[in-house]
Amino acid sequence: MRKMFRAAAVFATAATALVAMSGAAQAKPAGTVPWDGCPSGAVCIYGEGVVPKDNPHPTDVYYSYGAHNLSNQFGQHWILNNQYGGASVSLCNGSNGTNCTDTIAENNGLLRNFTPINSIVLNRP
């Protein structure tokens, strides 16, 4: 009888650990969903002249905080900030996040001439 209780206790502990691990791996912040093809937690840039709701396929997707240099971005582009928790994105005329001109709050987008824009900065909240 003692062996049966010990085996049941080991099984219950293993099952509890498995449930706890699977729940944590699938946890997502509440209320975060893709927006016109831009994944939750990301900043997305769309092709020149593309309207995101009509063509939900961003050409560039950024997740990591800090400066990101851009290349070959000319003319009018939409940029969507689908980050959460108060994170913003800045548009910068200089490379490596220098000479920033506009900041876009979370859950906002902007149509902007990207010809003078050389980098963006994903800002921590």
Side-chain angles (χ1 to χ4, degrees), residues 8-24:
V10 168
F11 176 76
T13 302
T16 302
L18 181 62
V19 168
M21 287 186 337
S22 65

Side-chain angles (χ1 to χ4, degrees), residues 103-117:
T103 299
I104 305 168
E106 70 176 276
N107 298 315
N108 282 283
L110 181 66
L111 177 63
R112 179 72 193 273
N113 178 6
F114 266 66
T115 302
I117 305 299

